[in-house]
Amino acid sequence: MVFQASFHDDDMESSLLDIPSTPLSAKPCSQKRWSKAFFTIKCSRAFSSLVQDSSDQVVIDVFEPHPHFPTIDQPVLLTHIVKKKNLGQLIAQYNGVEGLASHLNTDLDGGIDGDAEDVSRRNQEFGSNTYPSPPAKNLFYFVFQALRDPTALILLVFAALSLGFGIKENGLGEGWYDGGSIFVTILPGIAVSAIRNFKKNRQFVKLSRAISNIQVNVVRSGRRHQVSIFNVVVGEVVYLETGDQVPADGLFIDGHSLLVKEFSITGESDHVEVDLTQNPFLLSGTKVFQIL
């Protein structure tokens, strides 16, 4: 919601402009007063226009709780608590892991309801477990990259010079032979290189998607299911084993303590122990090294 406070000086401006007329035959003292009044009017009008053009705007972001998760203050706050591993704020704000599970309508044993409506509500409120893909590179991008090759640039410049001098000396009819033959030799090589790199890039994108589409074990309505990592929603109960990748930022709720590799996220080479009391925080993309 946006509240805009605008200052309108219509009354002030009208009073400033409402100046009684002065005859031309006025005394010098009156003329000086008129000059001062005119200068004052100009300054006041300029100031008024500045105030109107740069009217103060007060933007207040009013958060409206989701009807199905009314006790969750802001989804961003949950992310902040996990990223910063702020155990004190987790306890103070949501009364610990079990309290947060209750706020998220999650049964620690049976998981979430997991039907289409429940999943849709959670995606709508908290967002999906996906990331924006970079824009696809088209064929023209690889043509441009091929043209940036130093060897190709030198040959193209040489072909252009040869074409120009040939036409100048022998005319268009015969002068284009040498330069044109060089262009005919170079351009197919550039086209083949661009098409080959374009196909390789498409294959790499498909392979990356297939590798990223990891299947994880979750509990919904008391039953264990395998779902894509992209279909994991907030409040989900996920089973982790040695070697598994943590599918999303989350909290450790039950089981033996874990040793987790966080090198890809934090750069720390040491393994981090995750448990119920001291450090229940799990970061997306880390891997379970060992179950203690």
Side-chain angles (χ1 to χ4, degrees):
M1 298 179 67
V2 178
F3 296 88
Q4 179 172 341
S6 302
F7 299 94
H8 298 286
D9 296 333
D10 297 337
D11 297 334
M12 180 183 69
E13 186 173 351
S14 62
S15 63
L16 289 172
L17 296 177
D18 188 13
I19 304 298
S21 59
T22 305
L24 296 177
S25 59
K27 295 180 181 181
C29 182
S30 300
Q31 292 180 354
K32 290 181 180 180
R33 291 178 179 176
W34 168 253
S35 300
K36 292 181 179 179
F38 180 78
F39 179 78
T40 304
I41 293 169
K42 295 292 289 183
C43 292
S44 300
R45 293 185 64 184
F47 178 75
S48 299
S49 63
L50 286 175
V51 172
Q52 291 178 357
D53 291 340
S54 60
S55 58
D56 292 343
Q57 291 186 356
V58 181
V59 180
I60 303 177
D61 187 7
V62 179
F63 173 75
E64 297 182 1
H66 194 278
H68 297 283
F69 308 98
T71 55
I72 298 295
D73 291 340
Q74 292 188 30
V76 178
L77 181 61
L78 294 178
T79 303
H80 176 78
I81 291 175
V82 177
K83 291 290 187 184
K84 299 298 182 180
K85 298 186 177 182
N86 195 333
L87 183 60
Q89 188 175 8
L90 174 64
I91 296 174
Q93 193 81 22
Y94 298 108
N95 197 24
V97 176
E98 294 184 358
L100 179 58
S102 177
H103 287 292
L104 293 172
N105 300 331
T106 299
D107 184 349
L108 294 181
D109 295 322
I112 62 174
D113 291 341
D115 55 16
E117 185 178 357
D118 183 37
V119 172
S120 177
R121 284 197 302 262
R122 294 175 186 272
N123 282 330
Q124 181 181 0
E125 171 64 10
F126 304 105
S128 60
N129 192 33
T130 57
Y131 53 88
S133 301
K137 298 175 182 178
N138 55 28
L139 181 61
F140 293 103
Y141 171 83
F142 295 99
V143 171
F144 178 72
Q145 293 297 318
L147 290 173
R148 293 179 61 184
D149 181 71
T151 303
L153 287 175
I154 293 173
L155 292 175
L156 288 173
V157 171
F158 179 75
L161 292 174
S162 177
L163 183 64
F165 285 119
I167 293 175
K168 182 178 179 180
E169 293 179 0
N170 302 319
L172 182 61
E174 298 180 357
W176 66 271
Y177 291 151
D178 293 338
S181 61
I182 298 175
F183 274 115
V184 171
T185 303
I186 298 172
L187 293 179
I190 292 175
V192 170
S193 176
I195 293 173
R196 182 176 63 249
N197 291 334
F198 175 67
K199 290 183 178 180
K200 285 183 178 179
N201 181 73
R202 293 185 63 181
Q203 293 175 353
F204 175 77
V205 171
K206 290 181 180 179
L207 181 61
S208 298
R209 290 177 179 174
I211 294 175
S212 301
N213 190 19
I214 302 171
Q215 300 295 311
V216 296
N217 293 313
V218 301
V219 179
R220 295 180 176 180
S221 298
R223 296 183 179 181
R224 186 177 295 193
H225 302 270
Q226 272 201 342
V227 300
S228 168
I229 189 174
F230 303 125
N231 294 330
V232 174
V233 296
V234 172
E236 198 92 71
V237 175
V238 180
Y239 280 91
L240 294 176
E241 298 178 358
T242 302
D244 286 350
Q245 176 180 325
V246 179
D249 293 341
L251 299 170
F252 184 72
I253 60 175
D254 191 19
H256 298 285
S257 300
L258 307 175
L259 283 182
V260 178
K261 292 181 180 179
E262 294 187 354
F263 178 78
S264 60
I265 305 300
T266 63
E268 297 291 338
S269 58
D270 296 335
H271 303 315
V272 178
E273 183 175 353
V274 178
D275 54 31
L276 286 171
T277 57
Q278 301 297 324
N279 178 33
F281 303 101
L282 291 162
L283 300 180
S284 175
T286 58
K287 286 193 175 183
V288 178
F289 175 73
Q290 184 180 355
I291 299 177
L292 302 178

